[in-house]
Amino acid sequence: MNHFEVRGGELHCEDVPLSRIAAEVGTPVYVYSRATFERHFTVFRDALVQAGVVDPLVAYAVKANSNLSILKLLSALGAGADTVSEGEVRRALAAGVPGERIVFSGVGKTRGEIAFALKAGVSEINVESEPELKLVAQVAEELGLRAPVVFRVNPDVAAGGHAKIATGKAENKFGVSFAEAARLYANASNHPHLNPLGVACHIGSQITDLAPFEAAFSKMVGLVESLRGEGMSVERLDLGGGLGVPYFNQPDPPSPVDYAAMVARVTKGLKDIRLAFEPGRVIAANAGVLLASVIHLHERPEGRKFLVLDAAMNDLIRPAMYDAFHDIRPVKATDAAPVVMDVVGPVCETGDTFTRERALPPLGAGDLVAFMSAGAYGAAMASEYNSRPLVPEVLVDGDRYAVIRKRPSYEEMLADEIPSDWK
Ligand SMILES: *Cc1c(COP(=O)(O)O)cnc(C)c1O
């Protein structure tokens, strides 16, 4: 459920008409619903608790939507943060997420990033390879600390809506094998500067079926049991993120309640373990839209119609990168018969196409449209490609809204560039 609805013939975010935001902030602009973000986090966490999972660490995947205001409101609800760079650790800390709720993941953490995270007191460093374990041990020794490490295991399970977001197969770059995990865990257990806490997996994103999760989680439970059988202490099992969301016209994903029931069933036999989760998309995707204006409708003599928007692939790259589908809704509702058109942006790439041959209500210059389900991997993946200023973000709360990232001016966009004085 989300809080984007048509009222009085016009699409609203909570109690604010999107046309008001377009008039006052301009387009393109991301618009988020605070109530939807809060609801999605609460539904996810409560589903786990009600299924019997004791004190889950729900570490929101910062990369999905990393705006400080979003992190702040989730942190206030008790969310942790799953981070993949020093920048994200800093964002989480700046938003008030305490170190003990921060998970630091990623296949290529640098020495400097590891040092920063250890000093910040993160809850776990998810180690993805043997060379990384060595680096963490070195940095911890230099700092005179014991690094809390969790081994990210690649459970070799196929999952995920698109090859570019599947992460749990042996051919992907993520994590160590089960055999390596056992060997590295034993090494770490004997190391004075490493504190192995447990194991983790994250098998992909936009997963719309419980079967691959269940297959992976069962393997992880087996791993915990075998590590414990060898006398090692395992107190944490991090099950990652990846739960899909209902994008329009796509198969319905499992609900958080069904997901939580499966988790509780698969992990029931494990005692004295804290479960961690890293949901991103399921919290953020349907809590935001990208609002854009139509520049014009270009009709080719052969009959193909191109709706040209002021938003482009640099603002929302998912269609170009993953062939992702976004429902596109006119802000002013209409009963007029639909017209088949391609929806494109102004960037000089054929890939700057949001959709081909979609039946949409008749639209023309100045009309507003909203890309639904754009709260995750939208603004966070935006760039200035084609020298287009970074897209701003707005957060709605009831009948008020705040600009939570402003649109940079052209002067600001150029300000960091230093012309060389070479002749
Ligand atoms: C991207 C990522 C997530 C979040 O995935 P979603 O599909 O958005 O839930 C969680 N954990 C790790 C390690 C990730 O890389």
Side-chain angles (χ1 to χ4, degrees), residues 18-248:
L18 290 178
S19 59
R20 189 177 131 206
I21 294 171
E24 294 171 8
V25 184
T27 57
V29 58
Y30 277 91
V31 181
Y32 308 130
S33 154
R34 174 180 179 171
T36 310
F37 262 104
E38 293 184 336
R39 186 189 137 78
H40 288 171
F41 176 79
T42 308
V43 163
F44 188 89
R45 196 234 346 251
D46 290 358
L48 290 165
V49 172
Q50 274 154 25
V53 176
V54 179
D55 190 26
L57 171 63
V58 181
Y60 165 70
V62 170
K63 74 177 192 279
N65 184 320
S66 37
N67 188 289
L68 279 178
S69 299
I70 302 299
L71 300 181
K72 245 185 208 164
L73 65 89
L74 294 175
S75 172
L77 293 176
D82 173 51
T83 59
V84 294
S85 67
E86 179 173 333
E88 286 192 355
V89 177
R90 286 179 183 269
R91 275 184 184 277
L93 293 169
V97 183
E100 69 262 25
R101 297 208 302 252
I102 297 178
V103 173
F104 190 21
S105 308
V107 296
K109 305 171 199 76
T110 65
R111 175 182 289 274
E113 288 182 310
I114 293 166
F116 181 83
L118 287 176
K119 285 189 265 183
V122 301
S123 156
E124 60 187 59
I125 297 204
N126 287 7
V127 169
E128 303 229 13
S129 64
E130 183 164 14
E132 183 169 80
L133 183 66
K134 291 197 170 129
L135 187 56
V136 172
Q138 258 179 30
V139 175
E141 184 168 358
E142 283 160 20
L143 295 174
L145 299 168
R146 259 185 104 204
V149 294
V150 163
F151 292 90
R152 174 159 177 191
V153 181
N154 185 323
D156 198 17
V157 166
H162 188 282
K164 286 186 186 164
I165 52 177
T167 56
K169 285 288 288 171
E171 73 218 40
N172 301 131
K173 67 181 177 179
F174 302 97
V176 298
S177 70
F178 282 89
E180 280 178 293
R183 180 171 59 83
L184 298 179
Y185 211 100
N187 289 351
S189 300
N190 295 321
H191 194 289
H193 293 284
L194 294 173
N195 178 21
L197 293 179
V199 288
C201 69
H202 170 70
I203 59 173
S205 202
Q206 187 52 19
I207 300 170
T208 52
D209 177 4
L210 285 182
F213 283 122
E214 180 159 356
F217 298 173
S218 303
K219 287 184 170 187
M220 297 301 291
V221 168
L223 175 63
V224 172
E225 284 164 345
S226 86
L227 290 170
R228 284 179 166 178
E230 287 163 34
M232 281 172 268
S233 136
V234 183
E235 58 189 80
R236 190 160 305 169
L237 174 56
D238 178 342
L239 297 175
L243 186 58
V245 298
Y247 286 103
F248 184 76

Side-chain angles (χ1 to χ4, degrees), residues 380-402:
M381 291 176 103
S383 75
E384 290 181 340
Y385 185 43
N386 273 216
S387 291
R388 293 164 49 84
L390 214 51
V391 59
E393 298 168 276
V394 160
L395 180 62
V396 172
D397 176 29
D399 61 2
R400 61 181 181 168
Y401 75 84

